[in-house]
Amino acid sequence: MTLKKKARSRFVRFLGKQLREDRTTLQIYSRDMADLPSLVSIFFQNIPDGVILASSVKDIQTIYSVANETKTPITQRAAGTAGLGGSITYKKGLVIDTKGFEQHYLVNPLDQTVVVSPSYVFSDLQRKLKLEGFSLCSYPSSYHSATIGGWIAHGGHGIGSAQYGGVLEQIVEIEVVLPTGHLVKYTERDHISLFVGSHGTLGTITEVTLRVKFDIPLKHQGCTFDSPKELIQGLEEIVRIFPYSVWFLNPEHVALFNETFGYNLPIRYVAIISKEVNFEEEELEFSRLFNNAVRNAGGQILDRRYTEDIWQFRFKSFSMLKQCKDFVVSEVILPIEASDKYIRKLVSKFKGNIHLEGEVISPTHYALMMYLLYDEKLSSLKKTLLNLKLFNLTIGSKKVKGTPYSTGLWFSGYYGKIYGKDELRRYKEFKKSVDPKNISNPGKVLSPKLRFLPIVSLKFAVRLASRLIL
Amino acid sequence: MFMSSSTDWQVDVLEFAQKCIYCGYCSLCPTYKELKWETYHPRGILEQIKLYFTEGTKEEVKLDTSKSLFEAIFACTMCKMCENICLADIPLLKIWEQIRQESFKKGRWNPSMLSLYNKVKDTYNIYGLPSEDRLTWAKMSGLVMTRRTKKKAPLAYFIGCQAAYSGKMGQVAPSVVKILRKTKTNFTILGTDEWCCGSPVFLAGGYSVGKSFAKHNLDELKKLGVKRLVTACSGCYRTFKIVYPRVLGDSWDIEVLHISELANELIKAGKLKLKHKFKEKITFKDPCELVRHCELIEAPRDVINSIPNVRFEELPSNRNEALCCGGGGLLKLNDSELVGKVNSKLISEIEYSEADIVANGCPTCLDTIMTGVKNKGLDVEVIDIAELILRAMGDK
Ligand SMILES: Cc1cc2nc3c(=O)[nH]c(=O)nc-3n(C[C@H](O)[C@H](O)[C@H](O)COP(=O)(O)OP(=O)(O)OC[C@H]3O[C@@H](n4cnc5c(N)ncnc54)[C@H](O)[C@@H]3O)c2cc1C
């Protein structure tokens, strides 16, 4: 479905120069971080009909007005760093590039909050905050590219989530243009939570008030463990000392880390723990508690010379991917408790070839990135199969009560699993009330129907394929 | 003797484009930040390269892509922020240069770039002025350079087109010469035989003309027995340090120094004494070509910090993270409005630093910062580091 003549002329009339329809632009806006094999793309129409660079609330309102009138699907895209297909079109229509949003920024030092445009990239915002003695509480490790709006709509966690919570806990107020065109501000958690992980399906985020904190120095410690069991025990102990961040790698990933960054870390499970430390006594206390925690779990303390600079690599872990010709990635959220079996299963399934990287996101859970790395360029078929395999493992983590990281397109239909049944009900009700024509990022969050077999949902098809193939 | 051909210095742009992991870190590109369309995003440029160079791409698609690809490539300031942050270690600068060459081959340069190219080719300087005028700066400042011109010496001072011809840069070359004289350093200059280092030609993608410039300058330097070369221009510095070895191979064996490096060396040897105290607060803007291209970070800071009781403050973005002034990569010729937009971010940082003097090591930065400071009505003096050194030596 290409833009109908009437729709096109309306968009051109109101947004003229901000609309591009040339082939090259459309191609560039047809993918996100996950470059999916061409085989998969037959299921959806990822080349949009046009791209609009929106810069203001008024633009978004105009877009929704014309989109509703002409039933044109719109898909918001910020930095395009998420890999779940949220920012690419499912059934063509227009991509709305929200990075063009005019940027504003205002710190309220008394409330410890900052009001920002959604298009702010984390590193830019953090640089500004630091100049005023403040810091973000939690932020994704895609810090150098991801935007505030994209992180909220994707629903995420990040560095600092162990102490300060995920994206929901960062938001004090959110301003959204609903698909009806109304501009609303929400401050109640119940409302804000609807927009976290909504992938733009409930409206377009136009301003956010985030919680910030004083820029307290971090101290880092490291430890190693011999087995998944010890690692999990270690994490259980470590979360009790209220760390700011806990980041860990499996031995395969440690070996790759050494190769990429020229280190000589022991090839075991390595964890780097960071804590905010105001003064010397606190630092000593951190060391004491940390040593006890690691000892209790049977781990070993890592030489402190390593730990300070390893922290700098937090934002560079994707750099390790350059060592291989092709890769497939997935991410799952797991409870810390008893998840060692799941890790063991992953390691044995891929005969030690799976690379794992985890980040503790709350006192009870962690996010686990799973990478399969290959020395050769994968054929489209092989890549599809591997994607399905990882998909199956992500979904199949339910025995340990694991959930996919977010929905987007690939995990559409798993919203209830991630956020709970009540939230799903609330989400559906809200969606129905604000977007009856389903024009705001269709195909995301709730599983869409296959375009050539409209009685089957994408969720069902992908699940079936992943089961059959494996 | 090893001499490279244009193919030796080329990389497989398609292969590298395919290595992009799409993390988007290169979104810190200063011109993408202003233009905002992903066609200008370095990651987006790599996507266009894939479209353009993949075998079997229809001519029609290629033509379409080339329009936006070439437009994007000339909107680049070559500040190298993208390459420095790239998680996949893609040699982006080489790729951008090659795409500029491709655009040249296809006759797709814009007229002002072509005019610059022709000026440099015909007159050996970027202004299209006669070679005889290369020493006007000396006359204007009352310096007699006859005894220094084309004399045998181990060190040559390479003045560069901007310092030689531009009135705005009038103080740069006299400052360097005075520093060298006061420290009794034996040096020579090429005088009217100095040709443009070729930087703008290479940046525009003109490989063979650039190479003939490199060969000429090398021959002239060799005739004078030069072993070391000092320059106060970061563009020349980068060209000598990075481009000449690539173009000339082993035959380019001359040590290259920025004036801040030479000054630092002279300070350490006790030959250069910085005794004048400054009341003003000083900051330093790292030129992209020094800091990110050539990793020259500490020398200017060491020099400034050698000034007694100096009040030196870093800009918020400094060293490898220094902001681009907007003037690099020949952007001025392509889109002067965009230069202003990029520059305004840097000017805000200068304002934030509350510095009274901004020192710098690049004529292009100097020019754009002067304009930016003037437009914003800031009371800040913008000077080259050579001028700062000279003042710190007590020269009024
Ligand atoms: C190196 C790397 C590290 C990463 N680390 C983390 C991590 O630690 N934690 C984490 O959670 N994720 C991580 N990610 C994934 C990704 O970076 C995040 O999800 C990020 O927050 C997405 O932001 P974005 O600006 O790229 O949004 P996009 O990818 O452009 O969009 C994400 C979703 O938000 C929607 N959207 C975008 N803007 C708006 C808006 N204004 N209003 C409504 N909807 C909108 C889009 O339609 C899409 O569904 C990482 C990715 C990379 C490449």
Side-chain angles (χ1 to χ4, degrees):
Chain A
M1 179 178 69
T2 43
L3 271 192
K4 289 191 199 104
K5 214 168 156 195
K6 181 183 161 206
R8 192 182 169 275
S9 71
R10 302 280 288 156
F11 280 113
V12 170
R13 183 162 153 213
F14 292 114
L15 293 142
K17 279 188 195 157
Q18 288 160 266
L19 170 68
R20 278 197 183 179
E21 300 165 284
D22 62 282
R23 213 188 315 228
T24 313
T25 303
L26 301 186
Q27 190 71 37
I28 288 176
Y29 283 86
S30 69
R31 63 165 292 191
D32 66 359
M33 159 77 191
D35 187 16
L36 279 155
S38 45
L39 249 180
V40 181
S41 47
I42 53 171
F43 290 98
F44 57 96
Q45 295 170 293
N46 59 321
I47 311 266
D49 295 316
V51 183
I52 292 178
L53 189 64
S55 65
S56 63
V57 166
K58 191 159 174 292
D59 284 351
I60 302 289
Q61 287 175 319
T62 309
I63 291 165
Y64 274 128
S65 155
V66 181
N68 267 309
E69 195 186 308
T70 56
K71 285 203 187 141
T72 308
I74 64 137
T75 299
Q76 304 88 337
R77 174 187 179 91
T81 65
L84 301 180
S87 62
I88 56 178
T89 59
Y90 180 69
K91 33 182 197 173
K92 289 189 161 256
L94 295 173
V95 166
I96 310 303
D97 186 336
T98 55
K99 276 202 81 182
F101 243 78
E102 283 151 12
Q103 294 204 333
H104 56 268
Y105 157 96
L106 186 70
V107 172
N108 183 338
L110 295 179
D111 289 355
Q112 293 201 28
T113 57
V114 61
V115 183
V116 279
S117 338
S119 54
Y120 251 101
V121 171
F122 283 91
S123 56
D124 287 340
L125 178 58
Q126 180 77 330
R127 188 174 311 125
K128 283 202 159 190
L129 288 171
K130 286 207 167 209
L131 290 176
E132 302 193 39
F134 292 103
S135 164
L136 290 158
C137 298
S138 169
Y139 47 87
S141 54
S142 44
Y143 171 81
H144 286 296
S145 50
T147 65
I148 311 289
W151 196 44
I152 296 172
H154 182 264
H157 307 271
I159 297 167
S161 288
Q163 182 173 351
Y164 291 100
V167 65
L168 177 60
E169 283 73 33
Q170 314 307 312
I171 309 167
V172 177
E173 185 178 279
I174 190 167
E175 182 193 90
V176 185
V177 175
L178 298 175
T180 54
H182 291 99
L183 179 70
V184 286
K185 286 192 185 212
Y186 295 112
T187 47
E188 309 82 40
R189 194 181 156 97
D190 269 3
H191 270 121
I192 294 173
S193 71
L194 279 173
F195 289 89
V196 170
S198 65
H199 286 269
T201 54
L202 302 180
T204 303
I205 301 162
T206 49
E207 189 183 272
V208 186
T209 306
L210 291 175
R211 222 161 251 128
V212 294
K213 65 182 185 84
F214 288 123
D215 188 17
I216 304 166
L218 289 174
K219 283 289 157 202
H220 314 290
Q221 296 271 9
C223 54
T224 65
F225 300 101
D226 278 332
S227 62
K229 192 162 177 227
E230 267 188 14
L231 169 76
I232 295 304
Q233 270 172 12
L235 296 183
E236 282 173 339
E237 293 281 344
I238 288 164
V239 290
R240 291 194 195 116
I241 62 177
F242 304 111
Y244 174 74
S245 150
V246 182
W247 176 51
F248 62 88
L249 313 175
N250 77 332
E252 283 69 25
H253 218 42
V254 172
L256 192 64
F257 184 96
N258 286 344
E259 194 184 327
T260 312
F261 301 119
Y263 273 78
N264 195 13
L265 294 169
I267 308 297
R268 305 167 71 198
Y269 287 88
V270 169
I272 304 294
I273 291 85
S274 312
K275 190 165 168 64
E276 290 179 344
V277 167
N278 285 293
F279 38 82
E280 215 182 311
E281 286 78 2
E282 266 188 15
E283 190 175 348
L284 291 173
E285 180 68 355
F286 171 39
S287 290
R288 193 182 63 76
L289 292 172
F290 175 74
N291 289 350
N292 286 344
V294 176
R295 208 177 314 122
N296 290 345
Q300 286 172 26
I301 307 290
L302 193 65
D303 189 334
R304 276 200 75 173
R305 274 172 310 172
Y306 288 132
T307 49
E308 285 293 327
D309 25 303
I310 290 180
W311 171 258
Q312 305 303 326
F313 293 105
R314 293 305 316 269
F315 308 116
K316 292 192 177 171
S317 58
F318 270 52
S319 203
M320 292 189 248
L321 299 178
K322 71 180 173 221
Q323 306 284 3
C324 63
K325 285 251 160 46
D326 221 332
F327 58 88
V328 183
V329 185
S330 189
E331 193 165 16
V332 59
I333 302 228
L334 294 164
I336 297 176
E337 196 185 358
S339 59
D340 53 315
K341 281 197 201 98
Y342 182 74
I343 295 183
R344 237 180 301 132
K345 188 173 138 196
L346 286 177
V347 174
S348 75
K349 195 151 200 130
F350 293 96
K351 301 190 182 63
N353 273 333
I354 191 161
H355 291 246
L356 303 173
E357 182 178 345
E359 171 85 37
V360 171
I361 54 164
S362 75
T364 52
H365 284 75
Y366 64 97
L368 188 70
M369 282 285 263
M370 307 178 273
Y371 305 88
L372 295 176
L373 310 183
Y374 293 88
D375 285 336
E376 78 273 20
K377 201 90 194 136
L378 299 173
S379 67
S380 182
L381 179 67
K382 189 154 186 204
K383 204 162 179 179
T384 310
L385 293 180
L386 285 165
N387 269 301
L388 288 171
K389 213 168 181 176
L390 273 190
F391 181 91
N392 209 33
L393 278 166
T394 309
I395 303 306
S397 64
K398 64 175 179 253
K399 269 190 213 138
V400 277
K401 298 202 175 71
T403 59
Y405 195 84
S406 177
T407 57
L409 178 60
W410 315 126
F411 290 100
S412 56
Y414 290 91
Y415 188 89
K417 219 159 224 94
I418 301 170
Y419 300 102
K421 283 199 179 117
D422 287 347
E423 278 292 298
L424 176 63
R425 190 179 34 75
R426 284 194 332 111
Y427 169 86
K428 281 183 174 167
E429 277 167 14
F430 196 83
K431 172 80 179 167
K432 215 164 151 189
S433 68
V434 296
D435 190 17
K437 291 184 185 162
N438 194 20
I439 50 145
S440 203
N441 212 356
K444 320 299 158 61
V445 180
L446 301 178
S447 193
K449 297 278 184 267
L450 293 185
R451 83 186 143 103
F452 44 80
L453 197 60
I455 46 162
V456 176
S457 74
L458 181 71
K459 177 184 176 183
F460 178 80
V462 176
R463 237 170 84 178
L464 187 71
S466 72
R467 293 246 168 99
L468 285 179
I469 284 162
L470 305 172
Chain B
M1 198 190 331
F2 168 81
M3 282 276 219
S4 78
S5 68
S6 72
T7 38
D8 282 339
W9 99 340
Q10 301 219 327
V11 292
D12 186 336
V13 290
L14 181 60
E15 190 185 321
F16 277 113
Q18 280 161 345
K19 286 195 170 155
C20 172
I21 53 173
Y22 219 75
C23 63
Y25 277 20
C26 48
S27 66
L28 85 181
C29 164
T31 52
Y32 164 64
K33 274 190 175 174
E34 298 304 326
L35 298 166
K36 294 178 175 153
W37 288 99
E38 284 206 23
T39 44
Y40 298 101
H41 191 313
R43 174 181 79 179
I45 299 179
L46 292 178
E47 288 292 304
Q48 292 170 74
I49 288 174
K50 285 193 218 165
L51 281 175
Y52 183 81
F53 285 99
T54 299
E55 242 175 75
T57 303
K58 285 190 202 141
E59 273 313 305
E60 185 199 344
V61 176
K62 252 184 152 167
L63 188 68
D64 258 16
T65 309
S66 70
K67 274 186 208 148
S68 87
L69 173 62
F70 296 157
E71 193 187 317
I73 216 68
F74 286 108
C76 163
T77 64
M78 298 277 175
C79 72
K80 212 184 174 201
M81 280 195 187
C82 54
E83 184 173 321
N84 274 27
I85 202 159
C86 177
L87 292 185
D89 284 347
I90 301 175
L92 292 167
L93 264 280
K94 277 189 187 163
I95 296 177
W96 305 157
E97 274 175 15
Q98 247 165 266
I99 302 301
R100 285 183 175 212
Q101 285 175 21
E102 173 72 12
S103 128
F104 182 60
K105 272 194 250 158
K106 300 276 176 210
R108 302 274 291 279
W109 278 11
N110 80 13
S112 48
M113 300 234 354
L114 211 53
S115 143
L116 171 82
Y117 180 81
N118 287 328
K119 270 183 206 158
V120 179
K121 203 164 65 138
D122 299 341
T123 62
Y124 317 124
N125 69 77
I126 57 174
Y127 299 99
L129 293 169
S131 285
E132 299 76 65
D133 291 354
R134 266 213 178 257
L135 283 166
T136 315
W137 60 269
K139 271 187 226 138
M140 304 278 282
S141 54
L143 291 170
V144 182
M145 295 304 292
T146 18
R147 280 181 41 221
R148 293 286 178 186
T149 308
K150 299 211 74 178
K151 293 286 176 284
K152 286 209 172 240
L155 176 80
Y157 165 38
F158 194 94
I159 293 141
C161 302
Q162 297 196 66
Y165 288 101
S166 162
K168 270 192 186 173
M169 310 298 146
Q171 287 311 307
V172 178
S175 301
V176 176
V177 168
K178 286 180 190 169
I179 295 168
L180 297 174
R181 281 186 176 168
K182 282 180 179 235
T183 53
K184 300 198 169 50
T185 307
N186 184 11
F187 74 100
T188 183
I189 59 168
L190 296 181
T192 52
D193 283 326
E194 180 181 303
W195 282 11
C196 170
C197 66
S199 171
V201 179
F202 286 115
L203 277 176
Y207 176 83
S208 22
V209 175
K211 187 170 171 172
S212 69
F213 277 60
K215 274 194 77 193
H216 166 86
N217 283 327
L218 174 65
D219 291 345
E220 292 300 314
L221 292 165
K222 285 282 175 195
K223 277 187 216 159
L224 306 178
V226 170
K227 298 266 181 293
R228 307 176 92 198
L229 184 71
V230 66
T231 176
C233 169
S234 71
C236 298
Y237 181 81
R238 173 190 173 267
T239 311
F240 294 136
K241 267 258 185 275
I242 294 176
V243 185
Y244 276 27
R246 265 162 66 185
V247 179
L248 301 171
D250 295 342
S251 59
W252 177 255
D253 57 358
I254 294 173
E255 187 189 351
V256 184
L257 298 162
H258 186 254
I259 183 65
S260 58
E261 289 177 296
L262 183 66
N264 208 16
E265 197 180 292
L266 293 167
I267 292 169
K268 284 189 184 137
K271 291 184 184 163
L272 197 163
K273 296 212 166 54
L274 304 180
K275 44 190 188 245
H276 171 74
K277 289 184 185 157
F278 285 83
K279 279 196 241 86
E280 300 91 341
K281 189 191 212 183
I282 300 171
T283 191
F284 180 74
K285 147 75 178 104
D286 292 278
C288 303
E289 284 171 313
L290 290 189
V291 69
R292 278 184 287 270
H293 288 249
C294 301
E295 292 167 26
L296 179 72
I297 299 173
E298 296 309 327
R301 291 176 169 76
D302 289 348
V303 170
I304 297 172
N305 284 318
S306 306
I307 301 172
N309 301 331
V310 70
R311 282 200 298 144
F312 173 62
E313 186 167 314
E314 293 283 4
L315 289 174
S317 308
N318 56 68
R319 296 184 157 84
N320 270 316
E321 283 166 16
L323 298 185
C324 172
C325 74
L330 305 180
L331 185 62
K332 269 187 199 170
L333 293 177
N334 285 301
D335 191 342
S336 54
E337 201 184 317
L338 183 56
V339 175
K341 285 184 186 164
V342 173
N343 188 250
S344 67
K345 300 244 160 72
L346 172 64
I347 301 301
S348 302
E349 288 211 347
I350 291 173
E351 189 177 15
Y352 175 88
S353 74
E354 295 182 339
D356 305 297
I357 295 178
V358 186
N360 189 252
C362 166
T364 308
C365 295
L366 207 66
D367 188 16
T368 47
I369 300 172
M370 277 176 177
T371 311
V373 160
K374 194 171 148 214
N375 290 347
K376 204 160 185 194
L378 300 185
D379 186 16
V380 182
E381 196 184 1
V382 189
I383 57 174
D384 189 83
I385 190 149
E387 214 180 323
L388 183 79
I389 297 168
L390 188 67
R391 279 198 216 169
M393 289 167 84
D395 192 288
K396 294 278 147 52

